[in-house]
Amino acid sequence: MDHRLHATASMAESFYHLFVNRRAYTLQSTRPHPETGRHHYYRPKARAGEAGLSLETVQQHLAGEITLGIYAIHPQTQRSKWVAIDADYKNALVDLLKLQNELQQDGVEPALEKSNRGGHLWIFFEQPALARDCRVYIYHTALRLGLPIKGAGLPEGLEIFPRQDELGEGEFGNAIRAPLGVHRGARESRGRRFWFYGADYTLSDQLAYLGRTQKVSAAQLASFIAGKTLPDEFVKHSKRPEAPKHYYSSPDREFRILDYVHVERQVGRNWIARCPSCAAANRDRSGDNLAISVEEPRKYICWAGCTKAMIRNAVGRPIPEKRNAL
Ligand SMILES: [Zn+2]
């Protein structure tokens, strides 16, 4: 089944205006990962002369040729044009509808987008709002309703984007699947478009609807969060960015250390993980010997001194011996 639609340059502009906070972005792989079967997102490597996400790329997303992930926080301002609440669990839609109803009592007009088992609820701001303030508002509203929030002990629940209060140098935070494109993810949704409930299922109607939804003003947001801070139990979770599974496009057989380790956290410009070579020797129990460069994930180092050859052997992908040139 062909899921492509006609997308115009002006649709791409509307989308950009609504959703794009920074020019870094992720792409969903068109082929499933050979081991997990999942269509992971990766951050495409910027080519010389490219300044990141372009209108042409957005247009391809809307047309269904590629699938984008977008970031919530602009790194210089720590602000976002939107807050999105992702709920994907049994009965998630019921929780999202409760939340939507409660937000409407505040005069907010959230837009509800379908997804696999639940949806994404989007709230837009007149002017980009501090990530911290967006988060305080949604956490407090969700907790008042008794809704589950992921993290702080709960494996399932609402996920609130921006996922961080602010970004450190070189950080990106978490990307969310960009709306109005084709989802290449879970089996039950492969190749499907998820639409917003509030308008007819065409790109032009959907974008027009999103454009006219009520945007939250700075004064409104300030009044919603007056005297409130992020609940303590969620503070430490707000400092945990997610590692992209595939960082950039590269030939299929190229070795990617990120495919073989579980990234625990980011410290400065490095992802931190348990070193596979140390692990094979039952060392590195604290899981922090391996540092992988965020900017150049081909570069990694074990602080305990394992060589690249040892690490490659430990994951079953030994460095191929070079053939001698004739
Ligand atoms: Zn090691």
Side-chain angles (χ1 to χ4, degrees):
M1 192 172 163
D2 191 359
H3 297 276
R4 295 192 186 186
L5 291 175
H6 180 63
T8 65
S10 96
M11 288 175 185
E13 274 176 40
S14 304
F15 180 98
Y16 213 100
H17 181 69
L18 282 161
F19 290 106
V20 178
N21 286 302
R22 66 180 296 175
R23 302 195 73 184
Y25 63 101
T26 62
L27 278 177
Q28 196 171 20
S29 57
T30 50
R31 280 161 306 179
H33 187 272
E35 282 144 44
T36 63
R38 293 187 57 187
H39 292 253
H40 291 297
Y41 284 85
Y42 61 92
R43 197 179 305 138
K45 193 176 170 72
R47 283 186 285 265
E50 272 186 359
L53 186 55
S54 67
L55 283 171
E56 291 71 28
T57 306
V58 168
Q59 205 171 334
Q60 287 179 292
H61 167 79
L62 293 174
E65 292 158 19
I66 58 172
T67 304
L68 293 178
I70 49 175
Y71 289 104
I73 304 177
H74 188 284
Q76 261 112 52
T77 63
Q78 309 291 358
R79 287 172 185 269
S80 177
K81 294 175 175 181
W82 44 261
V83 53
I85 300 101
D86 177 10
D88 182 19
Y89 50 90
K90 200 163 169 266
N91 297 326
L93 199 54
V94 175
D95 287 350
L96 279 182
L97 290 169
K98 279 185 201 159
L99 184 60
Q100 184 181 36
N101 182 61
E102 186 74 7
L103 294 166
Q104 284 165 344
Q105 308 305 310
D106 282 339
V108 174
E109 194 186 339
L112 182 57
E113 176 202 9
K114 292 183 184 184
S115 82
N116 287 333
R117 288 185 291 176
H120 295 169
L121 195 61
W122 295 81
I123 296 148
F124 300 94
F125 299 97
E126 275 180 4
Q127 302 295 330
L130 284 173
R132 182 189 307 276
D133 293 350
C134 309
R135 288 166 48 74
V136 168
Y137 177 44
I138 302 302
Y139 272 93
H140 277 271
T141 308
L143 290 171
R144 188 168 68 234
L145 294 170
L147 301 178
I149 299 179
K150 203 167 171 176
L154 284 182
E156 283 197 329
L158 307 176
E159 285 186 79
I160 296 162
F161 293 77
R163 289 263 290 270
Q164 290 78 31
D165 285 349
E166 56 181 37
L167 299 178
E169 200 194 332
E171 291 180 355
F172 293 87
N174 296 74
I176 186 169
R177 174 174 59 75
L180 302 180
V182 167
H183 193 36
R184 294 164 216 282
R187 194 178 302 275
E188 64 270 24
S189 59
R190 188 165 298 158
R192 267 185 65 192
R193 261 175 217 268
F194 292 114
W195 299 103
F196 286 89
Y197 287 92
D200 283 350
Y201 295 168
T202 69
L203 288 174
S204 57
D205 283 329
Q206 293 268 308
L207 285 163
Y209 157 71
L210 294 170
R212 65 174 182 266
T213 57
Q214 185 77 36
K215 311 293 184 291
V216 176
S217 72
Q220 276 179 299
L221 182 59
S223 74
F224 298 154
I225 64 167
K228 297 189 173 93
T229 54
L230 197 69
D232 279 348
E233 66 267 38
F234 294 103
V235 168
K236 76 171 163 34
H237 293 273
S238 69
K239 288 300 296 173
R240 199 168 55 184
E242 191 170 283
K245 292 293 187 291
H246 290 175
Y247 191 88
Y248 51 75
S249 33
S250 54
D252 267 358
R253 291 298 297 159
E254 188 183 82
F255 177 75
R256 288 176 286 216
I257 188 71
L258 285 171
D259 289 345
Y260 295 92
V261 296
H262 177 71
V263 169
E264 288 291 343
R265 61 186 187 277
Q266 182 178 356
V267 175
R269 293 173 163 272
N270 293 314
W271 306 117
I272 304 300
R274 190 175 192 201
C275 166
S277 168
C278 289
N282 214 11
R283 288 186 286 119
D284 194 14
R285 300 245 173 126
S286 54
D288 56 6
N289 278 1
L290 194 71
I292 303 154
S293 164
V294 171
E295 291 296 322
E296 265 306 331
R298 279 170 225 251
K299 294 185 185 158
Y300 52 91
I301 186 170
C302 169
W303 296 116
C306 301
T307 63
K308 218 160 222 186
M310 291 161 72
I311 294 169
R312 292 282 298 257
N313 286 337
V315 301
R317 286 286 304 273
I319 299 171
E321 282 177 49
K322 282 204 179 68
R323 285 203 195 144
N324 291 325
L326 292 172

